[in-house]
Coordinates of all heavy atoms in Angstrom, one line a residue:
S127 N 120.2 85.6 88.1 CA 119.0 86.0 88.8 C 119.4 87.0 89.9 O 120.5 87.0 90.4 CB 118.3 84.8 89.3 OG 119.1 84.1 90.3
G128 N 118.4 87.8 90.3 CA 118.7 88.7 91.4 C 119.2 90.0 90.9 O 119.7 90.9 91.6
Q129 N 119.3 90.2 89.5 CA 119.8 91.4 88.9 C 118.7 92.5 89.1 O 117.7 92.4 88.5 CB 120.1 91.2 87.4 CG 120.7 92.4 86.7 CD 122.1 92.7 87.2 OE1 122.9 91.8 87.5 NE2 122.5 93.9 87.2
L130 N 119.1 93.6 89.8 CA 118.2 94.7 90.0 C 118.1 95.6 88.7 O 119.1 95.8 88.0 CB 118.7 95.6 91.2 CG 118.6 94.9 92.5 CD1 119.4 95.7 93.6 CD2 117.2 94.6 93.0
G131 N 116.9 96.1 88.5 CA 116.6 97.0 87.4 C 116.7 98.4 87.8 O 117.6 99.2 87.5
C132 N 115.7 98.8 88.6 CA 115.6 100.2 89.1 C 115.1 100.1 90.6 O 113.9 100.2 90.8 CB 114.6 101.0 88.3 SG 114.5 102.7 88.7
P133 N 116.0 99.8 91.5 CA 115.6 99.7 92.9 C 115.0 101.1 93.4 O 115.7 102.1 93.2 CB 116.8 99.3 93.6 CG 118.0 99.7 92.7 CD 117.4 99.6 91.3
S134 N 113.9 101.0 94.0 CA 113.3 102.3 94.4 C 113.2 102.5 95.9 O 113.1 103.6 96.4 CB 111.8 102.4 93.8 OG 111.1 101.3 94.2
H135 N 113.2 101.4 96.7 CA 113.2 101.5 98.1 C 113.6 100.2 98.7 O 113.5 99.1 98.1 CB 111.8 101.8 98.6 CG 111.7 102.5 99.9 ND1 111.7 103.9 100.1 CD2 111.7 102.0 101.2 CE1 111.7 104.2 101.3 NE2 111.7 103.1 102.0
M136 N 114.1 100.2 100.0 CA 114.5 99.0 100.6 C 114.3 99.1 102.1 O 114.2 100.2 102.7 CB 116.0 98.6 100.4 CG 117.0 99.6 100.9 SD 118.6 99.0 100.5 CE 119.3 100.5 99.8
A137 N 114.1 97.9 102.8 CA 114.0 97.8 104.2 C 114.5 96.5 104.6 O 114.8 95.6 103.8 CB 112.5 97.9 104.5
V138 N 114.7 96.3 105.9 CA 115.2 95.1 106.5 C 114.0 94.4 107.2 O 113.3 95.0 107.9 CB 116.3 95.3 107.5 CG1 116.7 94.0 108.2 CG2 117.5 96.0 106.9
S139 N 113.8 93.1 106.8 CA 112.7 92.4 107.3 C 113.0 91.8 108.7 O 114.1 91.9 109.2 CB 112.4 91.2 106.4 OG 113.4 90.3 106.4
D140 N 111.9 91.2 109.3 CA 112.1 90.7 110.7 C 113.0 89.5 110.7 O 113.5 89.1 111.7 CB 110.7 90.3 111.3 CG 110.1 89.1 110.6 OD1 110.2 89.0 109.4 OD2 109.4 88.4 111.3
N141 N 113.2 88.8 109.5 CA 114.2 87.7 109.5 C 115.5 88.1 108.9 O 116.3 87.3 108.4 CB 113.6 86.5 108.7 CG 113.3 86.9 107.3 OD1 113.3 88.0 106.9 ND2 112.9 85.9 106.5
N142 N 115.8 89.4 109.0 CA 117.1 90.0 108.6 C 117.5 89.8 107.2 O 118.6 89.5 106.8 CB 118.3 89.5 109.5 CG 118.2 90.2 110.9 OD1 117.9 91.3 111.0 ND2 118.5 89.4 111.9
H143 N 116.5 89.9 106.3 CA 116.7 90.0 104.9 C 116.5 91.4 104.4 O 115.7 92.1 104.9 CB 115.7 89.1 104.1 CG 116.1 87.6 104.2 ND1 115.2 86.6 104.1 CD2 117.3 87.0 104.4 CE1 115.7 85.5 104.2 NE2 117.0 85.7 104.4
L144 N 117.3 91.8 103.4 CA 117.1 93.1 102.8 C 116.0 92.9 101.7 O 116.1 92.0 100.9 CB 118.4 93.5 102.1 CG 118.5 94.9 101.6 CD1 118.3 95.9 102.6 CD2 119.9 95.1 100.9
V145 N 115.0 93.7 101.8 CA 113.8 93.6 100.9 C 113.8 94.8 100.1 O 113.9 95.9 100.6 CB 112.5 93.5 101.8 CG1 111.3 93.3 100.9 CG2 112.6 92.4 102.8
I146 N 113.9 94.6 98.7 CA 114.0 95.8 97.8 C 112.9 95.8 96.8 O 112.7 94.8 96.1 CB 115.4 95.7 97.1 CG1 116.5 95.6 98.1 CG2 115.6 96.8 96.1 CD1 117.9 95.3 97.5
A147 N 112.2 96.9 96.7 CA 111.2 97.2 95.6 C 112.0 97.6 94.4 O 112.8 98.5 94.4 CB 110.3 98.3 96.1
D148 N 111.6 96.9 93.3 CA 112.2 97.2 92.0 C 111.1 97.7 91.0 O 110.3 96.9 90.6 CB 112.9 96.0 91.4 CG 113.8 96.3 90.1 OD1 113.3 97.1 89.3 OD2 114.9 95.9 90.1
S149 N 111.1 99.0 90.8 CA 110.0 99.6 90.0 C 110.1 99.3 88.5 O 109.0 99.3 87.9 CB 110.0 101.1 90.2 OG 111.2 101.7 89.8
S150 N 111.2 98.9 88.0 CA 111.2 98.6 86.5 C 110.9 97.1 86.3 O 110.4 96.7 85.2 CB 112.5 99.0 85.9 OG 113.6 98.3 86.4
H151 N 111.3 96.2 87.2 CA 111.0 94.8 87.1 C 109.6 94.4 87.8 O 109.2 93.3 87.7 CB 112.1 94.0 87.7 CG 113.4 94.0 86.9 ND1 114.6 93.6 87.5 CD2 113.7 94.4 85.7 CE1 115.5 93.7 86.6 NE2 115.0 94.2 85.5
H152 N 109.0 95.4 88.5 CA 107.7 95.2 89.1 C 107.7 94.0 90.0 O 106.8 93.2 90.0 CB 106.6 95.1 88.0 CG 106.7 96.2 87.0 ND1 106.2 97.5 87.2 CD2 107.2 96.2 85.7 CE1 106.4 98.2 86.1 NE2 107.0 97.4 85.2
C153 N 108.7 94.0 90.9 CA 108.8 92.8 91.8 C 109.5 93.3 93.1 O 110.0 94.4 93.2 CB 109.5 91.6 91.2 SG 111.2 91.9 90.8
I154 N 109.6 92.4 94.0 CA 110.3 92.6 95.3 C 111.4 91.5 95.3 O 111.2 90.3 95.2 CB 109.4 92.4 96.5 CG1 108.2 93.3 96.4 CG2 110.2 92.7 97.8 CD1 108.4 94.8 96.3
Y155 N 112.6 92.0 95.5 CA 113.8 91.1 95.7 C 114.2 91.0 97.1 O 114.0 91.9 97.9 CB 115.0 91.7 94.9 CG 114.9 91.5 93.4 CD1 114.6 92.6 92.6 CD2 115.2 90.4 92.8 CE1 114.5 92.5 91.2 CE2 115.2 90.3 91.4 CZ 114.8 91.3 90.6 OH 114.7 91.2 89.3
T156 N 114.7 89.8 97.5 CA 115.2 89.7 98.9 C 116.7 89.2 98.8 O 117.0 88.4 97.9 CB 114.4 88.7 99.7 OG1 114.3 87.4 99.0 CG2 113.0 89.2 99.9
Y157 N 117.5 89.7 99.7 CA 118.9 89.4 99.8 C 119.2 89.2 101.3 O 118.6 89.8 102.2 CB 119.8 90.5 99.3 CG 119.6 90.7 97.8 CD1 118.6 91.6 97.3 CD2 120.5 90.2 96.9 CE1 118.5 91.8 95.9 CE2 120.4 90.4 95.5 CZ 119.4 91.2 95.1 OH 119.3 91.4 93.7
T158 N 120.3 88.4 101.6 CA 120.8 88.4 102.9 C 121.5 89.8 103.2 O 121.8 90.5 102.2 CB 121.8 87.3 103.1 OG1 122.9 87.5 102.2 CG2 121.2 85.9 102.9
L159 N 121.7 90.1 104.4 CA 122.4 91.4 104.7 C 123.8 91.5 104.2 O 124.3 92.6 104.0 CB 122.3 91.6 106.2 CG 121.0 91.9 106.8 CD1 121.0 92.1 108.3 CD2 120.2 93.0 106.1
D160 N 124.4 90.3 103.9 CA 125.7 90.4 103.3 C 125.7 90.3 101.7 O 126.7 90.1 101.1 CB 126.7 89.4 103.9 CG 126.2 87.9 103.7 OD1 125.1 87.7 103.3 OD2 127.0 87.0 104.1
G161 N 124.5 90.5 101.2 CA 124.4 90.6 99.7 C 124.1 89.4 98.9 O 124.1 89.5 97.7
H162 N 123.8 88.2 99.5 CA 123.5 87.0 98.7 C 122.0 87.0 98.4 O 121.2 87.2 99.2 CB 123.9 85.8 99.5 CG 125.3 85.6 99.7 ND1 126.0 86.0 100.8 CD2 126.3 85.1 98.9 CE1 127.3 85.8 100.7 NE2 127.5 85.2 99.5
Y163 N 121.8 86.7 97.1 CA 120.4 86.7 96.6 C 119.6 85.6 97.2 O 120.1 84.4 97.3 CB 120.5 86.5 95.1 CG 119.1 86.3 94.4 CD1 118.3 87.4 94.2 CD2 118.8 85.1 93.8 CE1 117.0 87.2 93.6 CE2 117.5 84.9 93.2 CZ 116.7 86.0 93.1 OH 115.5 85.9 92.4
V164 N 118.4 85.9 97.7 CA 117.5 84.9 98.3 C 116.4 84.5 97.4 O 116.1 83.4 97.1 CB 117.0 85.4 99.7 CG1 115.9 84.4 100.2 CG2 118.1 85.6 100.7
G165 N 115.8 85.5 96.8 CA 114.7 85.3 95.9 C 113.9 86.5 95.5 O 114.3 87.6 95.8
K166 N 112.8 86.3 94.8 CA 112.0 87.5 94.4 C 110.5 87.0 94.4 O 110.3 85.8 94.3 CB 112.4 88.1 93.1 CG 112.0 87.3 91.9 CD 112.3 88.0 90.6 CE 111.7 87.3 89.4 NZ 111.7 88.1 88.2
F167 N 109.6 88.0 94.5 CA 108.2 87.6 94.4 C 107.5 88.8 93.7 O 108.0 89.9 93.6 CB 107.6 87.3 95.8 CG 107.6 88.3 96.8 CD1 106.6 89.3 96.8 CD2 108.6 88.4 97.7 CE1 106.6 90.3 97.8 CE2 108.6 89.4 98.7 CZ 107.6 90.3 98.7
A168 N 106.3 88.4 93.2 CA 105.4 89.3 92.5 C 105.9 89.5 91.1 O 107.1 89.2 90.8 CB 105.2 90.6 93.2
S169 N 105.1 90.0 90.2 CA 105.4 90.3 88.8 C 104.5 91.3 88.3 O 103.5 91.7 89.0 CB 105.4 89.0 87.9 OG 104.1 88.5 87.9
Y170 N 104.7 91.8 87.1 CA 104.0 92.9 86.5 C 102.5 92.6 86.4 O 102.1 91.5 85.9 CB 104.5 93.3 85.2 CG 103.7 94.3 84.4 CD1 103.8 95.6 84.8 CD2 102.9 94.0 83.4 CE1 103.1 96.6 84.2 CE2 102.1 94.9 82.8 CZ 102.2 96.2 83.1 OH 101.4 97.2 82.5
G171 N 101.6 93.5 86.7 CA 100.2 93.3 86.5 C 99.4 94.2 87.5 O 99.9 94.9 88.3
S172 N 98.1 94.0 87.3 CA 97.2 94.8 88.2 C 96.3 93.9 89.1 O 95.6 94.4 89.9 CB 96.2 95.7 87.3 OG 95.5 94.9 86.5
G173 N 96.4 92.6 88.9 CA 95.6 91.7 89.8 C 96.2 91.6 91.2 O 97.3 92.1 91.4
R174 N 95.5 91.0 92.1 CA 96.0 90.8 93.4 C 97.3 90.0 93.4 O 97.4 89.0 92.8 CB 94.9 90.0 94.2 CG 95.3 89.8 95.7 CD 94.2 88.9 96.3 NE 94.5 88.6 97.7 CZ 94.0 89.3 98.7 NH1 93.1 90.2 98.6 NH2 94.4 88.9 99.9
G175 N 98.3 90.6 94.1 CA 99.6 89.9 94.2 C 100.5 90.4 93.0 O 101.7 90.0 93.0
R176 N 100.0 91.1 92.1 CA 100.8 91.7 91.0 C 101.2 93.1 91.3 O 100.4 93.8 92.0 CB 100.0 91.6 89.7 CG 99.6 90.2 89.3 CD 100.7 89.5 88.7 NE 100.2 88.2 88.2 CZ 100.7 87.6 87.1 NH1 101.6 88.2 86.4 NH2 100.3 86.4 86.8
L177 N 102.3 93.6 90.8 CA 102.8 94.9 91.1 C 102.9 95.7 89.8 O 103.3 95.1 88.7 CB 104.1 94.9 91.8 CG 104.1 94.2 93.2 CD1 105.5 94.1 93.7 CD2 103.2 94.9 94.2
H178 N 102.7 97.0 89.9 CA 103.0 97.9 88.7 C 103.6 99.2 89.3 O 102.9 100.0 89.9 CB 101.7 98.2 88.0 CG 102.0 99.0 86.7 ND1 100.9 99.4 85.9 CD2 103.1 99.4 86.1 CE1 101.4 100.1 84.9 NE2 102.7 100.1 85.0
G179 N 104.9 99.2 89.2 CA 105.6 100.4 89.7 C 105.7 100.5 91.3 O 105.4 101.5 91.8
P180 N 106.2 99.4 91.9 CA 106.4 99.5 93.4 C 107.4 100.6 93.7 O 108.5 100.6 93.2 CB 106.9 98.1 93.8 CG 107.5 97.6 92.6 CD 106.7 98.1 91.4
S181 N 106.9 101.6 94.5 CA 107.7 102.8 94.7 C 108.3 102.9 96.1 O 109.4 103.5 96.3 CB 106.9 104.1 94.4 OG 105.8 104.1 95.3
S182 N 107.7 102.2 97.0 CA 108.2 102.3 98.4 C 107.7 101.1 99.1 O 106.7 100.4 98.7 CB 107.6 103.6 99.1 OG 108.1 103.7 100.4
L183 N 108.4 100.7 100.2 CA 108.0 99.6 101.0 C 108.5 99.7 102.4 O 109.4 100.5 102.7 CB 108.4 98.2 100.4 CG 109.9 97.9 100.2 CD1 110.6 97.6 101.5 CD2 110.0 96.7 99.3
T184 N 107.9 99.0 103.3 CA 108.3 98.9 104.7 C 108.0 97.5 105.2 O 107.2 96.8 104.5 CB 107.7 100.0 105.6 OG1 108.3 100.0 106.8 CG2 106.2 99.8 105.7
T185 N 108.5 97.1 106.3 CA 108.1 95.9 106.9 C 107.6 96.1 108.3 O 107.9 97.2 108.9 CB 109.4 94.9 107.0 OG1 110.4 95.6 107.8 CG2 109.9 94.7 105.6
D186 N 106.9 95.2 108.9 CA 106.4 95.3 110.3 C 107.0 94.2 111.1 O 107.7 93.3 110.7 CB 104.9 95.5 110.3 CG 104.2 94.2 110.0 OD1 104.8 93.1 109.9 OD2 102.9 94.2 109.9
L187 N 106.7 94.3 112.4 CA 107.2 93.3 113.4 C 106.6 91.9 113.2 O 107.2 91.0 113.7 CB 107.0 93.8 114.8 CG 107.7 95.1 115.2 CD1 107.3 95.6 116.6 CD2 109.2 94.9 115.1
C188 N 105.5 91.8 112.5 CA 104.9 90.5 112.2 C 105.5 89.8 111.0 O 105.1 88.7 110.6 CB 103.4 90.6 112.1 SG 102.6 91.2 113.7
G189 N 106.3 90.5 110.3 CA 107.0 90.0 109.1 C 106.3 90.3 107.8 O 106.7 89.9 106.7
F190 N 105.3 91.2 107.8 CA 104.6 91.6 106.6 C 105.4 92.7 105.9 O 106.1 93.5 106.5 CB 103.2 92.1 106.9 CG 102.2 91.1 107.4 CD1 101.9 91.0 108.7 CD2 101.7 90.1 106.5 CE1 101.0 90.0 109.2 CE2 100.9 89.1 107.0 CZ 100.5 89.1 108.3
I191 N 105.3 92.6 104.6 CA 105.9 93.6 103.7 C 104.8 94.5 103.0 O 104.0 93.9 102.3 CB 106.8 92.9 102.6 CG1 107.8 92.0 103.3 CG2 107.4 93.9 101.7 CD1 108.4 90.9 102.4
I192 N 104.8 95.7 103.3 CA 103.8 96.7 102.9 C 104.4 97.5 101.7 O 105.4 98.2 101.9 CB 103.3 97.6 104.0 CG1 102.8 96.7 105.2 CG2 102.3 98.6 103.5 CD1 103.7 96.6 106.3
V193 N 103.7 97.4 100.5 CA 104.3 98.0 99.3 C 103.3 99.0 98.8 O 102.1 98.7 98.5 CB 104.5 96.9 98.2 CG1 105.1 97.5 97.0 CG2 105.4 95.8 98.8
A194 N 103.8 100.2 98.5 CA 103.1 101.3 97.8 C 103.3 101.1 96.3 O 104.5 101.0 95.9 CB 103.5 102.6 98.3
E195 N 102.2 101.0 95.5 CA 102.3 100.8 94.1 C 101.9 102.1 93.4 O 100.7 102.5 93.4 CB 101.4 99.7 93.6 CG 101.8 98.3 94.1 CD 100.8 97.3 93.6 OE1 100.9 97.1 92.4 OE2 100.0 96.8 94.4
T196 N 102.8 102.8 92.7 CA 102.5 104.0 92.1 C 101.5 103.9 91.0 O 100.5 104.6 90.9 CB 103.8 104.7 91.5 OG1 104.7 104.9 92.6 CG2 103.6 106.0 90.8
C197 N 101.7 103.0 90.1 CA 100.9 102.9 88.9 C 99.5 102.1 89.1 O 98.6 102.3 88.4 CB 101.6 102.2 87.7 SG 103.1 103.2 87.2
N198 N 99.5 101.3 90.2 CA 98.2 100.7 90.5 C 97.4 101.5 91.5 O 96.3 101.1 91.9 CB 98.4 99.2 91.0 CG 98.6 98.2 89.9 OD1 98.2 98.4 88.8 ND2 99.3 97.1 90.3
H199 N 98.0 102.6 92.0 CA 97.4 103.5 93.0 C 96.8 102.7 94.2 O 95.7 102.9 94.6 CB 96.2 104.2 92.3 CG 96.6 104.9 91.0 ND1 97.3 106.1 91.0 CD2 96.5 104.5 89.7 CE1 97.5 106.5 89.8 NE2 97.1 105.5 89.0
R200 N 97.6 101.8 94.8 CA 97.2 101.1 95.9 C 98.3 100.7 96.8 O 99.5 100.9 96.5 CB 96.4 99.8 95.4 CG 97.3 98.8 94.8 CD 96.6 97.6 94.3 NE 97.5 96.6 93.7 CZ 97.1 95.6 92.9 NH1 95.8 95.4 92.7 NH2 97.9 94.8 92.4
V201 N 98.0 100.0 97.9 CA 99.0 99.4 98.8 C 98.7 97.9 98.8 O 97.5 97.5 99.0 CB 98.8 100.0 100.2 CG1 99.7 99.3 101.2 CG2 99.1 101.5 100.2
S202 N 99.7 97.2 98.7 CA 99.6 95.7 98.8 C 100.4 95.2 100.0 O 101.5 95.7 100.2 CB 100.1 95.0 97.5 OG 99.3 95.3 96.4
I203 N 99.9 94.2 100.6 CA 100.6 93.7 101.8 C 100.9 92.2 101.5 O 100.0 91.4 101.2 CB 99.7 93.8 103.1 CG1 99.4 95.3 103.3 CG2 100.4 93.2 104.3 CD1 98.4 95.6 104.4
F204 N 102.1 91.8 101.7 CA 102.6 90.5 101.5 C 103.1 89.8 102.8 O 103.7 90.6 103.6 CB 103.7 90.5 100.4 CG 103.3 90.9 99.1 CD1 103.4 92.3 98.8 CD2 102.9 90.0 98.1 CE1 103.0 92.7 97.5 CE2 102.6 90.5 96.8 CZ 102.6 91.8 96.5
D205 N 103.0 88.5 102.9 CA 103.6 87.9 104.0 C 105.1 87.7 103.6 O 105.5 88.0 102.5 CB 102.9 86.6 104.4 CG 103.0 85.5 103.4 OD1 103.8 85.5 102.4 OD2 102.1 84.5 103.5
K206 N 105.9 87.2 104.6 CA 107.3 87.0 104.3 C 107.7 86.0 103.3 O 108.8 86.0 102.8 CB 108.1 86.8 105.6 CG 107.7 85.5 106.4 CD 108.5 85.5 107.7 CE 107.9 84.6 108.6 NZ 108.5 84.7 110.0
D207 N 106.7 85.2 102.9 CA 106.9 84.2 101.8 C 106.5 84.7 100.4 O 106.6 84.0 99.4 CB 106.1 82.9 102.1 CG 106.6 82.2 103.3 OD1 107.9 82.2 103.5 OD2 105.8 81.7 104.1
G208 N 106.0 86.0 100.4 CA 105.7 86.6 99.1 C 104.2 86.5 98.7 O 103.9 86.8 97.6
N209 N 103.4 85.9 99.6 CA 102.0 85.8 99.3 C 101.2 87.1 99.6 O 101.4 87.6 100.7 CB 101.4 84.6 100.1 CG 102.1 83.3 99.9 OD1 102.2 82.9 98.7 ND2 102.6 82.7 100.9
C210 N 100.4 87.5 98.7 CA 99.6 88.7 98.9 C 98.5 88.4 99.9 O 97.7 87.5 99.6 CB 99.1 89.3 97.6 SG 98.2 90.8 97.8
V211 N 98.4 89.1 101.0 CA 97.4 88.8 102.0 C 96.3 89.9 102.0 O 95.2 89.7 102.5 CB 98.0 88.6 103.4 CG1 98.9 87.4 103.5 CG2 98.7 89.9 103.9
H212 N 96.6 91.1 101.4 CA 95.6 92.1 101.4 C 96.1 93.2 100.4 O 97.3 93.5 100.3 CB 95.4 92.7 102.8 CG 94.3 93.7 102.9 ND1 93.0 93.3 102.6 CD2 94.3 95.0 103.2 CE1 92.2 94.4 102.8 NE2 93.0 95.4 103.2
C213 N 95.2 93.9 99.8 CA 95.5 95.1 99.0 C 94.3 96.0 99.1 O 93.2 95.6 99.2 CB 95.9 94.8 97.6 SG 94.8 93.9 96.6
F214 N 94.6 97.3 99.0 CA 93.5 98.3 99.1 C 93.9 99.6 98.4 O 95.1 99.8 98.2 CB 93.2 98.6 100.6 CG 94.3 99.1 101.4 CD1 94.5 100.5 101.5 CD2 95.2 98.3 102.1 CE1 95.6 101.0 102.3 CE2 96.2 98.8 102.8 CZ 96.4 100.1 102.9
G215 N 92.9 100.3 98.0 CA 93.1 101.6 97.3 C 92.8 101.5 95.9 O 92.7 100.4 95.3
S216 N 92.5 102.6 95.3 CA 92.3 102.8 93.9 C 92.6 104.2 93.5 O 92.9 105.0 94.3 CB 90.8 102.5 93.5 OG 90.0 103.4 94.2
N217 N 92.6 104.5 92.2 CA 93.0 105.8 91.7 C 91.9 106.9 92.1 O 90.7 106.6 91.8 CB 93.2 105.8 90.2 CG 93.8 107.1 89.7 OD1 94.3 107.9 90.4 ND2 93.7 107.3 88.4
G218 N 92.3 108.0 92.6 CA 91.4 109.0 93.0 C 91.8 109.8 94.2 O 92.8 109.6 94.8
S219 N 90.9 110.8 94.5 CA 91.2 111.6 95.7 C 90.2 111.5 96.8 O 90.2 112.2 97.8 CB 91.3 113.1 95.2 OG 90.0 113.5 94.7
G220 N 89.4 110.5 96.7 CA 88.4 110.2 97.8 C 88.9 109.4 98.9 O 90.1 108.9 98.9
D221 N 88.1 109.1 99.9 CA 88.5 108.2 101.0 C 88.9 106.8 100.4 O 88.2 106.2 99.6 CB 87.3 108.0 101.9 CG 87.0 109.2 102.7 OD1 87.8 110.1 102.8 OD2 85.9 109.3 103.3
G222 N 90.0 106.3 100.9 CA 90.5 105.0 100.4 C 91.1 105.0 99.0 O 91.4 104.0 98.5
Q223 N 91.3 106.2 98.5 CA 91.9 106.3 97.1 C 93.3 107.0 97.2 O 93.5 107.8 98.1 CB 91.0 107.0 96.2 CG 89.7 106.3 95.9 CD 88.8 107.1 94.9 OE1 88.7 108.3 95.0 NE2 88.3 106.3 94.0
F224 N 94.1 106.7 96.2 CA 95.5 107.3 96.1 C 95.7 107.8 94.7 O 95.2 107.3 93.8 CB 96.5 106.2 96.4 CG 96.4 105.5 97.8 CD1 95.8 104.3 97.9 CD2 96.8 106.1 98.9 CE1 95.7 103.6 99.1 CE2 96.7 105.5 100.1 CZ 96.1 104.3 100.2
E225 N 96.6 108.8 94.7 CA 97.1 109.3 93.4 C 98.6 109.1 93.4 O 99.3 109.9 94.0 CB 96.7 110.7 93.2 CG 95.2 110.9 92.9 CD 94.8 112.3 92.6 OE1 95.6 113.2 92.4 OE2 93.5 112.5 92.5
Y226 N 99.1 108.1 92.8 CA 100.5 107.8 92.7 C 101.2 107.7 94.0 O 102.1 108.5 94.3 CB 101.2 108.8 91.8 CG 100.6 108.9 90.4 CD1 99.7 109.9 90.1 CD2 100.8 107.8 89.5 CE1 99.1 110.0 88.8 CE2 100.2 107.9 88.2 CZ 99.4 109.0 87.9 OH 98.8 109.0 86.7
P227 N 100.8 106.8 94.9 CA 101.5 106.7 96.2 C 103.0 106.3 96.1 O 103.4 105.7 95.2 CB 100.7 105.7 97.0 CG 100.1 104.8 95.9 CD 99.9 105.7 94.7

């Protein structure tokens, strides 16, 4: 477990874990800063809490993990336990829409 497929972006979380978006496994992996596997969350899909092509991510000071999803054309926000707390966006060029973020 913890085998990366196609890591696309990484950040360091507020609890000093390395958080990595994997665009081919459609999930987020977490590791300690010295490389030990902690876990993963999310899986392939288009429903809330599911990912399709996570391309970029960042973390904030409150511990949230903000993920840009290329193929779902949205942004999903997860808490540090991997629970989806909010997602927004859809495919398009209007207000609140994204084209392959």
